Amino acid sequence: MYVTSTVLEPPLRIPTFADVEAARTRIEGIAHRTPVLTSRTADGRTGASLFFKAENLQRVGAFKFRGAYNAIAALAPDVRKNGVVAFSSGNHAQAIAYAASLQQVPATIVMPNDAPTPKVNATIGYGAEVVFYDRYSEDREAIGRRLASESGATLVPPYDHPDVIAGQGTATLELIEEIGEIDILVTPLGGGGLLAGSALAARALASGVRIIGVEPEAGNDGQQSLRKGEIVSIPVPKSIADGALTPSIGHRNFSILKAMVDDIATASDAELVETMRFFAERMKIIVEPTGCLAAAAVLHGTIDCAGKRVGILLSGGNVDLKTFNALLAG
């Protein structure tokens, strides 16, 4: 089911479209088949036909539930009983916590001490143990590996994991099944799980589709990496897109991105705020800053979509309402 990379050592399991299809079977009836929304105002503004896959309406409020549930469900029963460990700024944390609770698996989550309060509270509410760290001075991966080693649990990283990538790809699989062929697919980009999984699905289902990722302007490591042809690491960026504040793309993710993704664009914090306002005022939905990345690049003309059918992933809607109101009032 997996192909092996001959470039990276040690050999990595790189998921394929077959893994996306297997993930769809595992999560069917558990994850929501989220709606695809349209807006005449957005279409008129861009001269395109835009289709918004509303993963802000997914369980735990983000696409991350897909990959989290799939990764835990794929574990052998004797492995699953030892629990899972994850590290995340919020959405993967909640997703692992909830997916683990549904499957009666113990979960420990490593979260930054500045993670949004609603995401922390939700993670704890789903029954996970939370361990805090300083994202600017501590290594969350090292902490996660240590905790997993000490407890015998399985480490499930937020993006550089074959079953996580495959699970995330089910959102694009559903999108294309519902609306048919698209000319352009645009997704948010942090560590690369959503973009990599989306690329696997899109390349299999939509011939000739142009695939574009969008990351915060302050953290364009993915853009630099794709153009340089190798992973570029940067200091942890500062942006309101808290779910995309990664210093580098995952190795498995980049292997897929190099082969399948056409370009990576960026969006500024100001553009994210304006896009949040658009969704709230015109489409009556709440989308968090990270979830607005792809839409912001399209609505602000960074990606030329005129005359095209465009699929856009809205990756999540988990934002503190005080923060949401402050950003829109600013």
Side-chain angles (χ1 to χ4, degrees):
M1 184 176 294
Y2 293 98
V3 297
T4 301
S5 167
T6 58
V7 178
L8 298 167
E9 297 294 334
L12 298 177
R13 296 184 304 160
I14 308 300
T16 67
F17 179 59
D19 297 297
V20 178
E21 293 181 303
R24 190 249 293 273
T25 298
R26 289 192 190 102
I27 71 173
E28 191 169 8
I30 307 296
H32 294 325
R33 188 179 180 97
T34 52
V36 178
L37 308 178
T38 58
S39 164
R40 288 193 300 174
T41 301
D43 288 355
R45 179 169 166 174
T46 59
S49 296
L50 307 183
F51 302 91
F52 300 99
K53 180 64 168 169
E55 286 295 290
N56 55 312
L57 302 179
Q58 185 54 260
R59 298 185 84 160
V60 309
F63 76 98
K64 292 282 191 177
F65 180 76
R66 297 173 180 271
Y69 191 91
N70 184 55
I72 295 173
L75 295 174
D78 61 329
V79 174
R80 197 181 307 158
K81 69 181 182 182
N82 292 326
V84 293
V85 173
F87 47 84
S88 167
S89 64
N91 283 341
H92 182 65
Q94 295 174 85
I96 286 289
Y98 189 38
S101 71
L102 290 175
Q103 298 176 74
Q104 299 182 315
V105 174
T108 300
I109 315 295
V110 180
M111 299 186 74
N113 51 24
D114 61 348
T117 300
K119 295 183 179 183
V120 174
N121 290 342
T123 301
I124 294 172
Y126 291 134
E129 177 185 354
V130 172
V131 175
F132 292 102
Y133 78 102
D134 184 333
R135 74 165 85 221
Y136 300 106
S137 65
E138 295 182 281
D139 185 342
R140 66 180 189 172
E141 295 187 38
I143 296 170
R145 286 193 298 270
R146 174 177 58 80
L147 292 172
S149 177
E150 292 173 351
S151 65
T154 298
L155 184 65
V156 183
Y159 47 84
D160 197 1
H161 187 288
D163 295 317
V164 170
I165 294 169
Q168 317 308 29
T170 61
T172 291
L173 173 61
E174 291 175 4
L175 171 67
I176 296 174
E177 282 181 342
E178 181 165 340
I179 68 172
E181 288 266 341
I182 52 177
D183 301 303
I184 304 173
L185 175 70
V186 192
T187 85
L189 171 60
L194 179 61
L195 181 55
S198 296
L200 291 174
R203 286 284 173 239
L205 299 175
S207 59
V209 64
R210 181 170 170 79
I211 302 172
I212 302 173
V214 184
E215 58 191 346
E217 186 177 72
N220 72 330
D221 60 287
Q223 187 182 68
Q224 293 183 55
S225 298
L226 191 65
R227 293 176 182 178
K228 190 174 182 180
E230 62 185 49
I231 295 176
V232 173
S233 295
I234 63 172
V236 177
K238 294 186 178 181
S239 166
I240 62 172
D242 66 280
L245 303 185
T246 54
S248 63
I249 291 176
H251 290 286
R252 292 174 180 83
N253 315 80
F254 187 63
S255 178
I256 296 169
L257 268 53
K258 269 199 310 184
M260 298 185 178
V261 170
D262 295 287
D263 197 10
I264 294 174
T266 64
S268 69
D269 280 4
E271 290 169 342
L272 295 178
V273 170
E274 197 281 328
T275 304
M276 291 169 65
R277 181 178 291 110
F278 173 83
F279 284 128
E281 292 181 347
R282 305 309 298 262
M283 296 181 68
K284 313 307 178 188
I285 57 174
I286 292 178
V287 185
E288 66 184 278
T290 305
C292 287
L293 281 165
V298 171
L299 293 174
H300 289 87
T302 304
I303 300 170
D304 182 10
C305 298
K308 306 295 185 181
R309 287 171 56 85
V310 185
I312 299 172
L313 272 291
L314 305 181
S315 60
N318 294 315
V319 57
D320 179 84
L321 289 182
K322 290 183 180 179
T323 301
F324 182 81
N325 291 333
L327 287 172
L328 297 195

